mmCIF file of all heavy atoms in Angstrom:
data_model
loop_
_atom_site.group_PDB
_atom_site.id
_atom_site.type_symbol
_atom_site.label_atom_id
_atom_site.label_comp_id
_atom_site.label_asym_id
_atom_site.label_seq_id
_atom_site.Cartn_x
_atom_site.Cartn_y
_atom_site.Cartn_z
ATOM 1 N N GLU B 851 -8.921 3.900 -3.616
ATOM 2 C CA GLU B 851 -9.103 2.503 -3.256
ATOM 3 C C GLU B 851 -7.743 1.750 -3.175
ATOM 4 O O GLU B 851 -7.623 0.912 -2.337
ATOM 5 C CB GLU B 851 -10.051 1.779 -4.296
ATOM 6 C CG GLU B 851 -11.441 2.180 -4.109
ATOM 7 C CD GLU B 851 -11.829 3.542 -4.803
ATOM 8 O OE1 GLU B 851 -11.007 4.103 -5.576
ATOM 9 O OE2 GLU B 851 -12.910 4.109 -4.492
ATOM 10 N N GLU B 852 -6.878 2.050 -4.105
ATOM 11 C CA GLU B 852 -5.539 1.407 -4.040
ATOM 12 C C GLU B 852 -4.787 1.800 -2.826
ATOM 13 O O GLU B 852 -4.043 1.025 -2.186
ATOM 14 C CB GLU B 852 -4.759 1.774 -5.372
ATOM 15 C CG GLU B 852 -5.353 1.179 -6.571
ATOM 16 C CD GLU B 852 -5.421 -0.331 -6.596
ATOM 17 O OE1 GLU B 852 -4.440 -0.944 -6.126
ATOM 18 O OE2 GLU B 852 -6.390 -0.912 -7.113
ATOM 19 N N VAL B 853 -4.836 3.123 -2.455
ATOM 20 C CA VAL B 853 -4.183 3.637 -1.283
ATOM 21 C C VAL B 853 -4.765 2.893 0.034
ATOM 22 O O VAL B 853 -3.970 2.339 0.818
ATOM 23 C CB VAL B 853 -4.338 5.118 -1.082
ATOM 24 C CG1 VAL B 853 -3.927 5.585 0.286
ATOM 25 C CG2 VAL B 853 -3.665 5.862 -2.195
ATOM 26 N N MET B 854 -6.034 2.748 0.052
ATOM 27 C CA MET B 854 -6.633 2.084 1.179
ATOM 28 C C MET B 854 -6.276 0.581 1.242
ATOM 29 O O MET B 854 -6.036 -0.005 2.322
ATOM 30 C CB MET B 854 -8.186 2.271 1.168
ATOM 31 C CG MET B 854 -8.626 3.698 1.492
ATOM 32 S SD MET B 854 -10.393 3.946 1.600
ATOM 33 C CE MET B 854 -10.816 3.916 -0.170
ATOM 34 N N LYS B 855 -6.189 -0.023 0.106
ATOM 35 C CA LYS B 855 -5.883 -1.502 0.011
ATOM 36 C C LYS B 855 -4.423 -1.687 0.561
ATOM 37 O O LYS B 855 -4.215 -2.508 1.442
ATOM 38 C CB LYS B 855 -5.929 -1.982 -1.437
ATOM 39 C CG LYS B 855 -5.516 -3.467 -1.521
ATOM 40 C CD LYS B 855 -5.878 -3.952 -2.890
ATOM 41 C CE LYS B 855 -4.625 -3.971 -3.758
ATOM 42 N NZ LYS B 855 -4.819 -4.656 -5.031
ATOM 43 N N ILE B 856 -3.459 -0.935 0.093
ATOM 44 C CA ILE B 856 -2.133 -1.061 0.475
ATOM 45 C C ILE B 856 -1.957 -0.740 1.997
ATOM 46 O O ILE B 856 -1.254 -1.446 2.744
ATOM 47 C CB ILE B 856 -1.125 -0.260 -0.390
ATOM 48 C CG1 ILE B 856 -1.243 -0.704 -1.797
ATOM 49 C CG2 ILE B 856 0.306 -0.332 0.168
ATOM 50 C CD1 ILE B 856 -1.066 -2.172 -2.047
ATOM 51 N N ASN B 857 -2.631 0.332 2.480
ATOM 52 C CA ASN B 857 -2.529 0.728 3.772
ATOM 53 C C ASN B 857 -3.052 -0.421 4.646
ATOM 54 O O ASN B 857 -2.572 -0.651 5.798
ATOM 55 C CB ASN B 857 -3.403 1.970 4.060
ATOM 56 C CG ASN B 857 -3.288 2.429 5.549
ATOM 57 O OD1 ASN B 857 -2.176 2.671 6.053
ATOM 58 N ND2 ASN B 857 -4.344 2.362 6.187
ATOM 59 N N GLY B 858 -4.078 -1.146 4.191
ATOM 60 C CA GLY B 858 -4.672 -2.213 4.976
ATOM 61 C C GLY B 858 -3.852 -3.514 5.034
ATOM 62 O O GLY B 858 -4.198 -4.413 5.788
ATOM 63 N N THR B 859 -2.779 -3.618 4.203
ATOM 64 C CA THR B 859 -2.085 -4.893 4.158
ATOM 65 C C THR B 859 -0.627 -4.806 4.476
ATOM 66 O O THR B 859 -0.064 -5.827 4.922
ATOM 67 C CB THR B 859 -2.215 -5.503 2.703
ATOM 68 O OG1 THR B 859 -1.540 -4.683 1.808
ATOM 69 C CG2 THR B 859 -3.657 -5.817 2.421
ATOM 70 N N TYR B 860 0.051 -3.666 4.316
ATOM 71 C CA TYR B 860 1.488 -3.673 4.371
ATOM 72 C C TYR B 860 1.978 -3.977 5.760
ATOM 73 O O TYR B 860 3.068 -4.706 5.959
ATOM 74 C CB TYR B 860 2.138 -2.353 3.817
ATOM 75 C CG TYR B 860 2.161 -1.181 4.823
ATOM 76 C CD1 TYR B 860 3.249 -1.012 5.610
ATOM 77 C CD2 TYR B 860 1.110 -0.310 4.910
ATOM 78 C CE1 TYR B 860 3.285 0.089 6.499
ATOM 79 C CE2 TYR B 860 1.146 0.818 5.742
ATOM 80 C CZ TYR B 860 2.251 0.984 6.502
ATOM 81 O OH TYR B 860 2.269 2.072 7.363
ATOM 82 N N ARG B 861 1.351 -3.584 6.864
ATOM 83 C CA ARG B 861 1.853 -3.899 8.180
ATOM 84 C C ARG B 861 1.397 -5.269 8.671
ATOM 85 O O ARG B 861 2.174 -6.084 9.006
ATOM 86 C CB ARG B 861 1.278 -2.858 9.215
ATOM 87 C CG ARG B 861 1.916 -1.523 9.110
ATOM 88 C CD ARG B 861 1.342 -0.590 10.159
ATOM 89 N NE ARG B 861 -0.140 -0.521 10.082
ATOM 90 C CZ ARG B 861 -0.857 0.318 9.335
ATOM 91 N NH1 ARG B 861 -0.241 1.237 8.676
ATOM 92 N NH2 ARG B 861 -2.210 0.296 9.329
ATOM 93 N N ASP B 862 0.069 -5.469 8.656
ATOM 94 C CA ASP B 862 -0.486 -6.652 9.295
ATOM 95 C C ASP B 862 -0.284 -7.907 8.500
ATOM 96 O O ASP B 862 -0.174 -8.970 9.108
ATOM 97 C CB ASP B 862 -1.957 -6.372 9.614
ATOM 98 C CG ASP B 862 -2.133 -5.275 10.545
ATOM 99 O OD1 ASP B 862 -1.242 -4.972 11.374
ATOM 100 O OD2 ASP B 862 -3.258 -4.539 10.517
ATOM 101 N N ILE B 863 -0.373 -7.866 7.201
ATOM 102 C CA ILE B 863 -0.274 -9.087 6.446
ATOM 103 C C ILE B 863 1.148 -9.304 6.005
ATOM 104 O O ILE B 863 1.626 -10.463 6.033
ATOM 105 C CB ILE B 863 -1.232 -9.052 5.187
ATOM 106 C CG1 ILE B 863 -2.686 -9.072 5.678
ATOM 107 C CG2 ILE B 863 -0.937 -10.113 4.186
ATOM 108 C CD1 ILE B 863 -3.705 -8.912 4.620
ATOM 109 N N HIS B 864 1.911 -8.234 5.616
ATOM 110 C CA HIS B 864 3.247 -8.431 5.077
ATOM 111 C C HIS B 864 4.360 -8.125 6.053
ATOM 112 O O HIS B 864 5.525 -8.219 5.678
ATOM 113 C CB HIS B 864 3.378 -7.683 3.822
ATOM 114 C CG HIS B 864 2.423 -7.991 2.693
ATOM 115 N ND1 HIS B 864 2.536 -9.348 2.127
ATOM 116 C CD2 HIS B 864 1.369 -7.433 2.134
ATOM 117 C CE1 HIS B 864 1.477 -9.415 1.163
ATOM 118 N NE2 HIS B 864 0.804 -8.281 1.181
ATOM 119 N N ASN B 865 4.025 -7.654 7.226
ATOM 120 C CA ASN B 865 4.958 -7.317 8.253
ATOM 121 C C ASN B 865 6.036 -6.316 7.874
ATOM 122 O O ASN B 865 7.263 -6.542 8.040
ATOM 123 C CB ASN B 865 5.701 -8.617 8.775
ATOM 124 C CG ASN B 865 4.638 -9.561 9.378
ATOM 125 O OD1 ASN B 865 3.874 -9.173 10.261
ATOM 126 N ND2 ASN B 865 4.705 -10.823 8.935
ATOM 127 N N CYS B 866 5.567 -5.254 7.191
ATOM 128 C CA CYS B 866 6.539 -4.265 6.697
ATOM 129 C C CYS B 866 6.397 -2.961 7.581
ATOM 130 O O CYS B 866 5.357 -2.672 8.131
ATOM 131 C CB CYS B 866 6.156 -3.859 5.281
ATOM 132 S SG CYS B 866 6.505 -5.268 4.068
ATOM 133 N N VAL B 867 7.445 -2.222 7.587
ATOM 134 C CA VAL B 867 7.471 -0.961 8.422
ATOM 135 C C VAL B 867 6.969 0.224 7.504
ATOM 136 O O VAL B 867 6.617 1.275 8.066
ATOM 137 C CB VAL B 867 8.738 -0.610 8.935
ATOM 138 C CG1 VAL B 867 9.239 -1.695 9.928
ATOM 139 C CG2 VAL B 867 9.879 -0.390 7.863
ATOM 140 N N GLY B 868 6.938 -0.008 6.213
ATOM 141 C CA GLY B 868 6.471 1.096 5.235
ATOM 142 C C GLY B 868 6.097 0.576 3.983
ATOM 143 O O GLY B 868 6.356 -0.616 3.660
ATOM 144 N N ALA B 869 5.480 1.429 3.187
ATOM 145 C CA ALA B 869 5.033 0.994 1.828
ATOM 146 C C ALA B 869 4.916 2.126 0.874
ATOM 147 O O ALA B 869 4.877 3.270 1.315
ATOM 148 C CB ALA B 869 3.648 0.370 1.939
ATOM 149 N N ALA B 870 5.073 1.836 -0.397
ATOM 150 C CA ALA B 870 4.948 2.854 -1.454
ATOM 151 C C ALA B 870 4.162 2.262 -2.570
ATOM 152 O O ALA B 870 4.222 1.061 -2.862
ATOM 153 C CB ALA B 870 6.316 3.254 -1.931
ATOM 154 N N ILE B 871 3.332 3.143 -3.208
ATOM 155 C CA ILE B 871 2.712 2.818 -4.498
ATOM 156 C C ILE B 871 3.522 3.527 -5.574
ATOM 157 O O ILE B 871 3.647 4.709 -5.469
ATOM 158 C CB ILE B 871 1.263 3.218 -4.454
ATOM 159 C CG1 ILE B 871 0.487 2.502 -3.402
ATOM 160 C CG2 ILE B 871 0.619 2.856 -5.862
ATOM 161 C CD1 ILE B 871 -0.933 2.889 -3.187
ATOM 162 N N ILE B 872 3.967 2.883 -6.516
ATOM 163 C CA ILE B 872 4.762 3.421 -7.574
ATOM 164 C C ILE B 872 4.050 3.283 -8.903
ATOM 165 O O ILE B 872 3.708 2.152 -9.309
ATOM 166 C CB ILE B 872 6.156 2.736 -7.668
ATOM 167 C CG1 ILE B 872 6.860 2.816 -6.309
ATOM 168 C CG2 ILE B 872 6.997 3.315 -8.814
ATOM 169 C CD1 ILE B 872 7.993 1.957 -6.120
ATOM 170 N N THR B 873 3.797 4.349 -9.609
ATOM 171 C CA THR B 873 3.054 4.237 -10.879
ATOM 172 C C THR B 873 3.796 5.038 -11.999
ATOM 173 O O THR B 873 4.545 5.932 -11.685
ATOM 174 C CB THR B 873 1.677 4.880 -10.667
ATOM 175 O OG1 THR B 873 0.923 4.703 -11.865
ATOM 176 C CG2 THR B 873 1.666 6.337 -10.274
ATOM 177 N N THR B 874 3.522 4.557 -13.197
ATOM 178 C CA THR B 874 4.060 5.258 -14.343
ATOM 179 C C THR B 874 3.202 6.503 -14.643
ATOM 180 O O THR B 874 3.567 7.326 -15.479
ATOM 181 C CB THR B 874 4.121 4.344 -15.493
ATOM 182 O OG1 THR B 874 2.775 3.701 -15.700
ATOM 183 C CG2 THR B 874 5.201 3.253 -15.369
ATOM 184 N N SER B 875 2.023 6.584 -14.062
ATOM 185 C CA SER B 875 1.053 7.665 -14.409
ATOM 186 C C SER B 875 1.054 8.644 -13.240
ATOM 187 O O SER B 875 2.045 9.300 -12.859
ATOM 188 C CB SER B 875 -0.264 7.119 -14.717
ATOM 189 O OG SER B 875 -0.855 6.446 -13.611
ATOM 190 N N ALA B 876 -0.110 8.881 -12.586
ATOM 191 C CA ALA B 876 -0.293 9.767 -11.531
ATOM 192 C C ALA B 876 -1.401 9.256 -10.579
ATOM 193 O O ALA B 876 -1.942 8.183 -10.765
ATOM 194 C CB ALA B 876 -0.771 11.114 -12.037
ATOM 195 N N PHE B 877 -1.716 10.021 -9.497
ATOM 196 C CA PHE B 877 -2.636 9.674 -8.531
ATOM 197 C C PHE B 877 -3.842 10.648 -8.588
ATOM 198 O O PHE B 877 -3.610 11.817 -8.909
ATOM 199 C CB PHE B 877 -2.027 9.726 -7.090
ATOM 200 C CG PHE B 877 -0.994 8.703 -6.939
ATOM 201 C CD1 PHE B 877 0.373 8.964 -7.168
ATOM 202 C CD2 PHE B 877 -1.271 7.454 -6.436
ATOM 203 C CE1 PHE B 877 1.321 7.991 -7.055
ATOM 204 C CE2 PHE B 877 -0.254 6.473 -6.250
ATOM 205 C CZ PHE B 877 1.058 6.731 -6.594
#
């Protein structure tokens, strides 16, 4: 769900060319 959320916002809402999810744990 977190992956889908970030994928849905990084380009269209934040005008970014790429994105990363950084965690202290794992996926």
Side-chain angles (χ1 to χ4, degrees):
E851 286 80 12
E852 294 297 322
V853 170
M854 290 184 284
K855 179 173 99 175
I856 300 309
N857 182 61
T859 63
Y860 82 91
R861 287 180 308 267
D862 298 331
I863 293 177
H864 299 294
N865 301 310
C866 294
V867 298
I871 302 173
I872 302 165
T873 183
T874 52
S875 63
F877 295 88

